[in-house]
Amino acid sequence: MENQLLTLKNNELTVQINPKGAELTHVIENKNKFDFIWNGSEWPKHAPILFPAIGRSTDDEYLLNQKIYPMQQHGFASDYFFEIIDQKEDQISLSLKDNEETYQSYPFQFELKVTYQLVSKKLKIQFEIKNLSVKKLTFALGFHPAFNLSANFEDYQISFETKDKTLKQFEIVKNPFPYRSGKIIEINKAVSNFPLEREFFEKGLVIFDNKIEEVKLFSQETDYQMTMKMADFPYLCLWTKEDENLSYLCIEPFQGLPDILNQKQELLQKEGNISLKSNESKTYEVELTFNSNKGES
């Protein structure tokens, strides 16, 4: 099957989605042709959907009722072509269902439906997971978009909308892979106008243990900015490649967490995972707003 990109368009934005992984690949402002989504070869992804796992599982395995199953980093959704189930000029819905191959690592019947909708300068994204099994299903879900930075990395700031006055993060053990240590540490940075610094990412990903409703990425050195509403997700991850000076930042809403180092997880009890009864479904929404003052009076 060819990777022919699917296009949504309105007066403000042109969006392209790869049916493989239902991956958001471009968000282009029509007036100035600026692409808000990373497309560099140094990290050859754009905005993968993480399902049914987030991060790397211990030994790339997990337990389900004490039986061992393999699970690759971030799950398998990004490897499969999604079926188009509805398409309009400014909206598209795609679906992934279980198959004989997914049963080898994830013995559940499911449907993961992803809907993208353009509304003016906003891109609304809905993820719906439905349990088609007769038994209880458990999953993690993440959205991993990489946003282009049109100014220097350290010229950017982030503001968080949260009721918390102190930011906290899950401590990360970098080697051999980024796992959680099991500890939570405080971050000595402001909730508003949080400065981006390369050294903050020396262990790679940063996962906040705060309930964040909204996050804004902006710089005084550029007209382009992005706001993400993510109230349905309990965790937020920031990531950029710690060993390269690249002009992108991933802002990732998570429902689920990576494993703690050397602790093989029983999936039905895994921290951060969600369980669904037979025929039950769960919906998560993200809203991205893309703004530019370039060329505006």
Side-chain angles (χ1 to χ4, degrees):
M1 184 180 291
E2 295 183 1
N3 285 33
Q4 185 172 359
L5 298 181
L6 308 167
T7 300
L8 306 180
K9 191 170 184 177
N10 66 8
N11 290 334
E12 303 289 345
L13 300 170
T14 297
V15 169
Q16 291 192 305
I17 297 142
N18 194 330
K20 185 176 182 182
E23 184 178 11
L24 179 65
T25 305
H26 299 283
V27 176
I28 299 170
E29 188 205 39
N30 293 337
K31 180 182 288 186
N32 299 298
K33 308 305 179 186
F34 178 74
D35 193 345
F36 285 91
I37 301 297
W38 167 259
N39 273 263
S41 60
E42 298 90 342
W43 185 64
K45 300 180 182 179
H46 316 284
I49 295 168
L50 317 182
F51 176 88
I54 288 175
R56 189 179 293 273
S57 301
T58 299
D59 300 325
D60 294 318
E61 297 174 335
Y62 69 91
L63 299 171
L64 181 63
N65 299 320
Q66 296 303 306
K67 182 178 177 181
I68 294 176
Y69 289 88
M71 181 55 69
Q72 67 195 62
Q73 185 176 16
H74 294 325
F76 51 68
S78 63
D79 293 338
Y80 289 97
F81 282 88
F82 282 57
E83 177 187 0
I84 300 170
I85 55 177
D86 184 57
Q87 186 173 9
K88 303 172 185 174
E89 185 178 12
D90 58 1
Q91 181 173 321
I92 191 168
S93 295
L94 306 101
S95 170
L96 175 68
K97 292 184 179 180
D98 54 274
N99 58 58
E100 290 300 323
E101 195 171 62
T102 65
Y103 292 146
Q104 305 306 309
S105 61
Y106 189 64
F108 299 98
Q109 294 175 293
F110 68 89
E111 180 180 19
L112 168 59
K113 186 165 76 171
V114 184
T115 299
Y116 294 93
Q117 181 185 16
L118 271 176
V119 181
S120 187
K121 295 183 179 182
K122 301 180 188 295
L123 177 62
K124 298 182 178 182
I125 309 166
Q126 183 185 85
F127 306 92
E128 181 183 2
I129 300 94
K130 186 172 184 179
N131 181 7
L132 304 179
S133 303
V134 296
K135 58 187 176 183
K136 184 164 69 172
L137 172 150
T138 181
F139 69 90
L141 173 73
F143 180 47
H144 194 328
F147 296 102
N148 269 330
L149 305 179
S150 59
N152 292 327
F153 187 92
E154 295 194 347
D155 288 330
Y156 274 85
Q157 296 176 315
I158 285 181
S159 285
F160 303 104
E161 185 176 303
T162 176
K163 294 179 181 177
D164 297 335
K165 296 184 178 175
T166 302
L167 292 171
K168 297 176 290 182
Q169 71 177 100
F170 294 93
E171 185 179 58
I172 298 297
V173 180
K174 184 176 180 180
N175 293 313
F177 300 106
Y179 292 103
R180 289 184 295 140
S181 72
K183 297 179 181 178
I184 294 173
I185 55 179
E186 290 191 358
I187 301 172
N188 186 25
K189 291 182 183 289
V191 172
S192 296
N193 301 334
F194 178 111
L196 290 190
E197 298 168 342
R198 290 281 180 190
E199 62 183 23
F200 185 62
F201 297 93
E202 63 182 1
K203 292 187 177 180
L205 71 166
V206 176
I207 307 174
F208 294 93
D209 185 30
N210 298 89
K211 185 67 181 78
I212 294 170
E213 304 281 329
E214 181 178 299
V215 56
K216 179 180 178 182
L217 174 67
F218 65 99
S219 168
Q220 301 302 320
E221 305 301 319
T222 178
D223 294 304
Y224 299 107
Q225 63 185 37
M226 188 281 304
T227 302
M228 175 188 289
K229 292 185 178 180
M230 47 159 290
D232 289 344
F233 290 83
Y235 308 111
L236 175 68
C237 175
L238 302 181
W239 178 76
T240 192
K241 291 191 79 169
E242 65 273 18
D243 53 353
E244 295 185 55
N245 186 17
L246 301 178
S247 58
Y248 75 83
L249 178 70
C250 292
I251 302 177
E252 311 169 43
F254 280 1
Q255 175 63 74
L257 293 166
D259 279 3
I260 293 175
L261 182 65
N262 295 326
Q263 290 189 15
K264 193 160 292 185
Q265 299 291 304
E266 173 60 51
L267 198 63
L268 291 171
Q269 281 93 47
K270 184 172 179 180
E271 183 181 2
N273 269 32
I274 291 293
S275 294
L276 298 175
K277 298 176 183 177
S278 180
N279 290 316
E280 188 178 9
S281 63
K282 177 77 174 176
T283 299
Y284 297 86
E285 294 185 356
V286 173
E287 182 180 280
L288 305 177
T289 302
F290 302 95
N291 284 315
S292 166
N293 297 319
K294 232 175 181 25
E296 296 179 6
S297 57

